[in-house]
Amino acid sequence: MKVLILGVNGFIGSALVENLLKKEHVSIYGMDMDHDKIKEFLSHPRMNFVEGDITINKEWIHYHIKKCDVILPLVAIATPSVYVSDPLRVFELDFEANLELVRQCVQHKKRLIFPSTSEVYGMSSESEFKEESTNFVLGPISKQRWIYSCSKQLLDRVIYAYGVQHDLQYSIFRPFNWIGPKLDHILTPKEGSSRVLTQFISDVLKHQKIKLVDGGEQKRSFTDIDDGIDALVRIIENKDGCATRRIFNIGNPNNNYSIKELATVLLDTLKNYPFFKDKADKTIIEIVKSHDHYGQFYQDIQNRTPSIEQAQTYLGWSPKIGLKESLIKTLDYHLSHLDHSLA
Ligand code: UGA
């Protein structure tokens, strides 16, 4: 099976490579602008990597869409701070650039596995989001945060329509706050720009305050990357067509914690590491207003819990990894990779 992964050096792409290369029948063709997260796999005989940009290297991509069996376009901006600071870039990359790839999959009759997002459900008040029945609830146009959700939603609808009208073989997956090593760069140069777990770890390391936006009562269903990849591999394998033309929430309803709880569990866990303990003991938690932290174009989701019935039924998948275990894995990784620059 030839698998094309665009954005192969990303958080999901890099973890997927590690898993897929263990399967002897799989060859990977991957493009990304960087290769820092996959460098140990570059010389693998079934790994074919090229450095490039999906908005520029279009010929390579077109050729490989024709050549491969399964296409995963994983390139997207998925960081809320950018939705509000550069919404047009989010639209151009997440929607426009990906639409071209979707159309090529239709043209060449290729299987498409597309990353949607838990954000498509927006501010729905349902206690559990279901792929086929939950209404999507977004804020007004001035709340530019929703441009990401809206771009992804429209692509979901386009892909679905290509399935109905042109027989496109697709699977759509919706990650719910996947966390783990390699999520964002821990020492990101741009302050306050990472997703929450990386941001909090980075705050502790840099002796900064942990900021709870609007009090931190809002909840997320944190999902370990290994559980997420387990689901994704089942979708790629597509046993007896179980994933074809289906949408899957991939999230862990048992890890539905508030951001305030995340901060507390993280600080408690850090105290078990001699390297982090002192820094964690000294960390101050403060409450900030979203308006001050993200600006006026931000709006938040209070609760976001997936129904995972579809994934359980069709993929035989259930998440197994609890929040604490996931934090330990993430911290172990950062400790072994970054301590030299943080001491
Ligand atoms: C994320 C991103 O949009 C995507 O990565 C993804 O598609 C989707 O949701 C997902 O992974 O399911 P969000 O959950 O808001 O959105 O991402 P974070 O930036 O990690 O924020 C989580 C919560 O923590 C938000 O309520 C935010 O306001 C809060 N936060 C963030 C803080 O309280 N303090 C911080 O320093 C950073």
Side-chain angles (χ1 to χ4, degrees), residues 185-217:
H185 286 288
I186 204 100
L187 295 175
T188 174
K190 228 174 128 209
E191 237 173 76
S193 67
S194 293
R195 280 161 290 190
V196 66
L197 175 59
T198 321
Q199 188 58 49
F200 284 178
I201 298 172
S202 154
D203 290 337
V204 173
L205 290 173
K206 293 183 188 165
H207 306 280
Q208 291 166 356
K209 291 176 184 164
I210 280 186
K211 297 189 187 77
L212 295 180
V213 173
D214 291 336
E217 298 297 338

Side-chain angles (χ1 to χ4, degrees), residues 77-81 83 116-119 145 148 152 174-178 183 192-197 199-200 203 210-216 218-222 259-260 262 288 290 293-294 298 300-301 304:
I77 292 166
T79 312
S81 60
Y83 313 159
S116 177
T117 171
S118 63
E119 293 236 343
R145 188 241 168 84
Y148 170 72
K152 287 283 191 181
R174 297 193 174 138
F176 278 64
N177 289 83
W178 289 12
L183 175 58
S193 67
S194 293
R195 280 161 290 190
V196 66
L197 175 59
Q199 188 58 49
F200 284 178
D203 290 337
I210 280 186
K211 297 189 187 77
L212 295 180
V213 173
D214 291 336
Q218 63 276 37
K219 289 185 165 177
R220 296 293 190 269
S221 297
F222 295 102
I259 302 305
K260 196 194 224 167
L262 174 73
V288 297
S290 56
H293 190 72
Y294 288 108
Y298 184 76
D300 207 350
I301 302 122
R304 184 155 79 186

Side-chain angles (χ1 to χ4, degrees), residues 5 11 17 30 40 64 73 83 122 179 185 249 255 276 285 296 314 317:
I5 306 177
F11 174 48
V17 164
E40 67 260 49
H64 282 84
Y83 313 159
I179 55 171
H185 286 288
N249 289 337
N255 280 350
F276 292 118
I285 297 181
Q296 58 170 321
Y314 296 108
W317 175 85

Side-chain angles (χ1 to χ4, degrees), residues 114-303:
F114 195 78
S116 177
T117 171
S118 63
E119 293 236 343
V120 291
Y121 299 105
M123 297 177 290
S124 166
S125 57
E126 288 178 34
S127 57
E128 216 188 39
F129 298 164
K130 296 195 169 79
E131 296 91 335
E132 291 179 9
S133 58
T134 296
N135 289 327
F136 298 159
V137 181
L138 305 188
I141 300 298
S142 61
K143 296 297 177 192
Q144 302 204 70
R145 188 241 168 84
W146 302 114
I147 200 159
Y148 170 72
S149 169
C150 197
S151 298
K152 287 283 191 181
Q153 182 196 145
L154 187 52
L155 267 181
D156 285 4
R157 291 185 188 277
V158 168
I159 291 168
Y160 184 90
Y162 273 124
V164 174
Q165 293 185 241
H166 292 268
D167 212 24
L168 175 65
Q169 307 275 310
Y170 70 84
S171 306
I172 289 173
F173 66 101
R174 297 193 174 138
F176 278 64
N177 289 83
W178 289 12
I179 55 171
K182 305 184 189 174
L183 175 58
D184 300 295
H185 286 288
I186 204 100
L187 295 175
T188 174
K190 228 174 128 209
E191 237 173 76
S193 67
S194 293
R195 280 161 290 190
V196 66
L197 175 59
T198 321
Q199 188 58 49
F200 284 178
I201 298 172
S202 154
D203 290 337
V204 173
L205 290 173
K206 293 183 188 165
H207 306 280
Q208 291 166 356
K209 291 176 184 164
I210 280 186
K211 297 189 187 77
L212 295 180
V213 173
D214 291 336
E217 298 297 338
Q218 63 276 37
K219 289 185 165 177
R220 296 293 190 269
S221 297
F222 295 102
T223 308
D224 189 87
I225 181 77
D226 289 342
D227 276 333
I229 295 297
D230 177 20
L232 196 44
V233 168
R234 289 168 194 247
I235 292 173
I236 293 170
E237 296 280 4
N238 198 25
K239 208 165 164 234
D240 302 323
C242 63
T244 298
R245 291 206 199 92
R246 292 213 163 92
I247 304 176
F248 298 102
N249 289 337
I250 307 297
N252 191 339
N254 297 326
N255 280 350
N256 191 35
Y257 291 99
S258 72
I259 302 305
K260 196 194 224 167
E261 287 168 321
L262 174 73
T264 312
V265 178
L266 176 66
L267 286 178
D268 281 351
T269 311
L270 282 165
K271 287 174 188 169
N272 296 324
Y273 288 79
F275 177 80
F276 292 118
K277 188 180 181 320
D278 187 47
K279 295 177 175 68
D281 282 336
K282 289 185 182 140
T283 300
I284 295 167
I285 297 181
E286 76 167 348
I287 290 176
V288 297
K289 289 202 176 91
S290 56
H291 193 93
D292 298 327
H293 190 72
Y294 288 108
Q296 58 170 321
F297 301 131
Y298 184 76
Q299 194 168 27
D300 207 350
I301 302 122
Q302 291 314 302
N303 196 25

